[in-house]
Amino acid sequence: AQSVTQLDSHVSVSEGTPVLLRCNYSSSYSPSLFWYVQHPNKGLQLLLKYTSAATLVKGINGFEAEFKKSETSFHLTKPSAHMSDAAEYFCVVSDHLDSNYQLIWGAGTKLIIKP
Amino acid sequence: DAGVIQSPRHEVTEMGQEVTLRCKPISGHNSLFWYRQTMMRGLELLIYFNNNVPIDDSGMPEDRFSAKMPNASFSTLKIQPSEPRDSAVYFCASSLAGGRTGELFFGEGSRLTVL
């Protein structure tokens, strides 16, 4: 069965320090992986996606993620946090079942930025 | 493009009343999704349409919930009768290619409160 585990429900960092949001997945197929961001009282927005091309994926707002098949991980990073990064982040895996598709959503990680 | 448009943004109603949420997807997108988000259960897929046809409604909680997509530019999610446990933020999202790209475009959500 496919699943996504976001290892931290909350992450707190100081402005200007690195960000690491962890995501592990399990999939029977060659998955596609995504990170979405949700700012307070807003809809979700795609941050970046991995679809079997380069394993290091760059997204918007300086975020990037590395697909590590051996570790079944897709952690999200940013070298230097900004106050505007405070939001909830969701890791998502896409599997293809028969002719349909299925998006499996992680539970989310709330990123808190301390001034 | 205006993005995915949802209405109403906020709705407060009393238990037993009918609630109708509306969604206009991005022009040209052929897939539409209704999600529900609560603190307790996170983000849940309710139903998924492809080319106006419901493909997967296994997430619809019960018969009180119904969704329609009469044409490519409009969808509704109806709850009748509503109950306090239906209080949540309901998101509509649209996508190309049946959602296989995993890139969903979300509206800003409809916050429903049932008293």
Side-chain angles (χ1 to χ4, degrees), chain A residues 36-51:
Chain A
Y36 278 79
V37 59
Q38 184 180 25
H39 286 93
N41 299 314
K42 295 291 186 183
L44 291 87
Q45 179 186 14
L46 181 67
L47 202 56
L48 51 80
K49 62 180 179 181
Y50 165 78
T51 54

PDB file of all heavy atoms in Angstrom, chain A residues 36-51:
ATOM      1  N   TYR A  36       3.475  20.583  -1.503  1.00  0.00           N
ATOM      2  CA  TYR A  36       2.540  21.692  -1.596  1.00  0.00           C
ATOM      3  C   TYR A  36       2.693  22.561  -0.360  1.00  0.00           C
ATOM      4  O   TYR A  36       3.028  22.070   0.731  1.00  0.00           O
ATOM      5  CB  TYR A  36       1.092  21.183  -1.666  1.00  0.00           C
ATOM      6  CG  TYR A  36       0.641  20.751  -3.036  1.00  0.00           C
ATOM      7  CD1 TYR A  36       1.003  19.504  -3.553  1.00  0.00           C
ATOM      8  CD2 TYR A  36      -0.133  21.594  -3.833  1.00  0.00           C
ATOM      9  CE1 TYR A  36       0.580  19.113  -4.820  1.00  0.00           C
ATOM     10  CE2 TYR A  36      -0.560  21.200  -5.094  1.00  0.00           C
ATOM     11  CZ  TYR A  36      -0.192  19.962  -5.583  1.00  0.00           C
ATOM     12  OH  TYR A  36      -0.605  19.577  -6.827  1.00  0.00           O
ATOM     13  N   VAL A  37       2.383  23.853  -0.519  1.00  0.00           N
ATOM     14  CA  VAL A  37       2.424  24.774   0.607  1.00  0.00           C
ATOM     15  C   VAL A  37       1.049  25.413   0.778  1.00  0.00           C
ATOM     16  O   VAL A  37       0.358  25.683  -0.210  1.00  0.00           O
ATOM     17  CB  VAL A  37       3.515  25.857   0.406  1.00  0.00           C
ATOM     18  CG1 VAL A  37       3.279  26.680  -0.856  1.00  0.00           C
ATOM     19  CG2 VAL A  37       3.594  26.778   1.615  1.00  0.00           C
ATOM     20  N   GLN A  38       0.669  25.620   2.043  1.00  0.00           N
ATOM     21  CA  GLN A  38      -0.600  26.279   2.344  1.00  0.00           C
ATOM     22  C   GLN A  38      -0.341  27.382   3.362  1.00  0.00           C
ATOM     23  O   GLN A  38      -0.039  27.109   4.531  1.00  0.00           O
ATOM     24  CB  GLN A  38      -1.623  25.291   2.904  1.00  0.00           C
ATOM     25  CG  GLN A  38      -2.990  25.910   3.153  1.00  0.00           C
ATOM     26  CD  GLN A  38      -4.004  24.921   3.703  1.00  0.00           C
ATOM     27  OE1 GLN A  38      -3.654  23.921   4.323  1.00  0.00           O
ATOM     28  NE2 GLN A  38      -5.285  25.186   3.462  1.00  0.00           N
ATOM     29  N   HIS A  39      -0.482  28.620   2.900  1.00  0.00           N
ATOM     30  CA  HIS A  39      -0.378  29.738   3.817  1.00  0.00           C
ATOM     31  C   HIS A  39      -1.701  29.901   4.563  1.00  0.00           C
ATOM     32  O   HIS A  39      -2.748  29.444   4.085  1.00  0.00           O
ATOM     33  CB  HIS A  39       0.010  31.011   3.065  1.00  0.00           C
ATOM     34  CG  HIS A  39       1.443  31.004   2.641  1.00  0.00           C
ATOM     35  ND1 HIS A  39       1.853  30.553   1.409  1.00  0.00           N
ATOM     36  CD2 HIS A  39       2.577  31.362   3.290  1.00  0.00           C
ATOM     37  CE1 HIS A  39       3.169  30.638   1.315  1.00  0.00           C
ATOM     38  NE2 HIS A  39       3.632  31.130   2.447  1.00  0.00           N
ATOM     39  N   PRO A  40      -1.677  30.536   5.724  1.00  0.00           N
ATOM     40  CA  PRO A  40      -2.889  30.640   6.547  1.00  0.00           C
ATOM     41  C   PRO A  40      -4.080  31.177   5.778  1.00  0.00           C
ATOM     42  O   PRO A  40      -3.976  32.183   5.064  1.00  0.00           O
ATOM     43  CB  PRO A  40      -2.447  31.597   7.666  1.00  0.00           C
ATOM     44  CG  PRO A  40      -0.975  31.395   7.771  1.00  0.00           C
ATOM     45  CD  PRO A  40      -0.499  31.150   6.376  1.00  0.00           C
ATOM     46  N   ASN A  41      -5.182  30.465   5.898  1.00  0.00           N
ATOM     47  CA  ASN A  41      -6.458  30.857   5.271  1.00  0.00           C
ATOM     48  C   ASN A  41      -6.378  30.944   3.757  1.00  0.00           C
ATOM     49  O   ASN A  41      -7.121  31.723   3.126  1.00  0.00           O
ATOM     50  CB  ASN A  41      -6.943  32.197   5.837  1.00  0.00           C
ATOM     51  CG  ASN A  41      -7.178  32.117   7.331  1.00  0.00           C
ATOM     52  OD1 ASN A  41      -7.791  31.169   7.829  1.00  0.00           O
ATOM     53  ND2 ASN A  41      -6.634  33.076   8.060  1.00  0.00           N
ATOM     54  N   LYS A  42      -5.511  30.167   3.171  1.00  0.00           N
ATOM     55  CA  LYS A  42      -5.356  30.134   1.710  1.00  0.00           C
ATOM     56  C   LYS A  42      -5.490  28.706   1.198  1.00  0.00           C
ATOM     57  O   LYS A  42      -5.474  27.747   1.975  1.00  0.00           O
ATOM     58  CB  LYS A  42      -3.977  30.688   1.319  1.00  0.00           C
ATOM     59  CG  LYS A  42      -3.768  32.156   1.652  1.00  0.00           C
ATOM     60  CD  LYS A  42      -4.621  33.052   0.798  1.00  0.00           C
ATOM     61  CE  LYS A  42      -4.314  34.505   1.032  1.00  0.00           C
ATOM     62  NZ  LYS A  42      -5.205  35.389   0.256  1.00  0.00           N
ATOM     63  N   GLY A  43      -5.609  28.598  -0.117  1.00  0.00           N
ATOM     64  CA  GLY A  43      -5.590  27.282  -0.735  1.00  0.00           C
ATOM     65  C   GLY A  43      -4.167  26.750  -0.826  1.00  0.00           C
ATOM     66  O   GLY A  43      -3.209  27.414  -0.444  1.00  0.00           O
ATOM     67  N   LEU A  44      -4.028  25.540  -1.316  1.00  0.00           N
ATOM     68  CA  LEU A  44      -2.722  24.917  -1.445  1.00  0.00           C
ATOM     69  C   LEU A  44      -2.095  25.262  -2.789  1.00  0.00           C
ATOM     70  O   LEU A  44      -2.797  25.406  -3.796  1.00  0.00           O
ATOM     71  CB  LEU A  44      -2.845  23.395  -1.309  1.00  0.00           C
ATOM     72  CG  LEU A  44      -3.209  22.897   0.085  1.00  0.00           C
ATOM     73  CD1 LEU A  44      -4.714  22.859   0.287  1.00  0.00           C
ATOM     74  CD2 LEU A  44      -2.618  21.510   0.313  1.00  0.00           C
ATOM     75  N   GLN A  45      -0.787  25.343  -2.793  1.00  0.00           N
ATOM     76  CA  GLN A  45      -0.059  25.708  -4.005  1.00  0.00           C
ATOM     77  C   GLN A  45       1.099  24.742  -4.191  1.00  0.00           C
ATOM     78  O   GLN A  45       1.805  24.411  -3.220  1.00  0.00           O
ATOM     79  CB  GLN A  45       0.483  27.140  -3.874  1.00  0.00           C
ATOM     80  CG  GLN A  45       1.272  27.618  -5.066  1.00  0.00           C
ATOM     81  CD  GLN A  45       1.902  28.978  -4.834  1.00  0.00           C
ATOM     82  OE1 GLN A  45       1.986  29.470  -3.717  1.00  0.00           O
ATOM     83  NE2 GLN A  45       2.349  29.600  -5.909  1.00  0.00           N
ATOM     84  N   LEU A  46       1.306  24.310  -5.423  1.00  0.00           N
ATOM     85  CA  LEU A  46       2.415  23.406  -5.701  1.00  0.00           C
ATOM     86  C   LEU A  46       3.735  24.139  -5.530  1.00  0.00           C
ATOM     87  O   LEU A  46       3.953  25.210  -6.097  1.00  0.00           O
ATOM     88  CB  LEU A  46       2.304  22.862  -7.123  1.00  0.00           C
ATOM     89  CG  LEU A  46       3.396  21.883  -7.543  1.00  0.00           C
ATOM     90  CD1 LEU A  46       3.279  20.578  -6.746  1.00  0.00           C
ATOM     91  CD2 LEU A  46       3.317  21.597  -9.042  1.00  0.00           C
ATOM     92  N   LEU A  47       4.619  23.538  -4.739  1.00  0.00           N
ATOM     93  CA  LEU A  47       5.943  24.099  -4.480  1.00  0.00           C
ATOM     94  C   LEU A  47       6.971  23.515  -5.448  1.00  0.00           C
ATOM     95  O   LEU A  47       7.787  24.231  -6.028  1.00  0.00           O
ATOM     96  CB  LEU A  47       6.328  23.764  -3.043  1.00  0.00           C
ATOM     97  CG  LEU A  47       7.359  24.588  -2.313  1.00  0.00           C
ATOM     98  CD1 LEU A  47       6.993  26.048  -2.292  1.00  0.00           C
ATOM     99  CD2 LEU A  47       7.514  24.063  -0.888  1.00  0.00           C
ATOM    100  N   LEU A  48       6.946  22.194  -5.598  1.00  0.00           N
ATOM    101  CA  LEU A  48       7.848  21.517  -6.529  1.00  0.00           C
ATOM    102  C   LEU A  48       7.373  20.086  -6.741  1.00  0.00           C
ATOM    103  O   LEU A  48       6.542  19.585  -5.983  1.00  0.00           O
ATOM    104  CB  LEU A  48       9.290  21.515  -6.005  1.00  0.00           C
ATOM    105  CG  LEU A  48       9.555  21.037  -4.581  1.00  0.00           C
ATOM    106  CD1 LEU A  48       9.572  19.519  -4.478  1.00  0.00           C
ATOM    107  CD2 LEU A  48      10.888  21.593  -4.067  1.00  0.00           C
ATOM    108  N   LYS A  49       7.944  19.451  -7.799  1.00  0.00           N
ATOM    109  CA  LYS A  49       7.536  18.079  -8.076  1.00  0.00           C
ATOM    110  C   LYS A  49       8.705  17.276  -8.643  1.00  0.00           C
ATOM    111  O   LYS A  49       9.586  17.814  -9.334  1.00  0.00           O
ATOM    112  CB  LYS A  49       6.363  18.026  -9.043  1.00  0.00           C
ATOM    113  CG  LYS A  49       6.637  18.598 -10.425  1.00  0.00           C
ATOM    114  CD  LYS A  49       5.375  18.490 -11.305  1.00  0.00           C
ATOM    115  CE  LYS A  49       5.625  19.078 -12.678  1.00  0.00           C
ATOM    116  NZ  LYS A  49       4.415  18.995 -13.530  1.00  0.00           N
ATOM    117  N   TYR A  50       8.726  15.985  -8.341  1.00  0.00           N
ATOM    118  CA  TYR A  50       9.677  15.034  -8.893  1.00  0.00           C
ATOM    119  C   TYR A  50       8.909  14.021  -9.728  1.00  0.00           C
ATOM    120  O   TYR A  50       7.953  13.406  -9.247  1.00  0.00           O
ATOM    121  CB  TYR A  50      10.420  14.310  -7.769  1.00  0.00           C
ATOM    122  CG  TYR A  50      11.143  13.079  -8.273  1.00  0.00           C
ATOM    123  CD1 TYR A  50      12.342  13.198  -8.957  1.00  0.00           C
ATOM    124  CD2 TYR A  50      10.585  11.811  -8.120  1.00  0.00           C
ATOM    125  CE1 TYR A  50      12.986  12.082  -9.449  1.00  0.00           C
ATOM    126  CE2 TYR A  50      11.223  10.683  -8.602  1.00  0.00           C
ATOM    127  CZ  TYR A  50      12.419  10.827  -9.269  1.00  0.00           C
ATOM    128  OH  TYR A  50      13.048   9.713  -9.776  1.00  0.00           O
ATOM    129  N   THR A  51       9.361  13.868 -10.997  1.00  0.00           N
ATOM    130  CA  THR A  51       8.674  12.911 -11.864  1.00  0.00           C
ATOM    131  C   THR A  51       9.675  12.081 -12.657  1.00  0.00           C
ATOM    132  O   THR A  51       9.574  11.948 -13.859  1.00  0.00           O
ATOM    133  CB  THR A  51       7.728  13.638 -12.833  1.00  0.00           C
ATOM    134  OG1 THR A  51       8.484  14.649 -13.533  1.00  0.00           O
ATOM    135  CG2 THR A  51       6.589  14.300 -12.115  1.00  0.00           C
TER     136      THR A  51
END
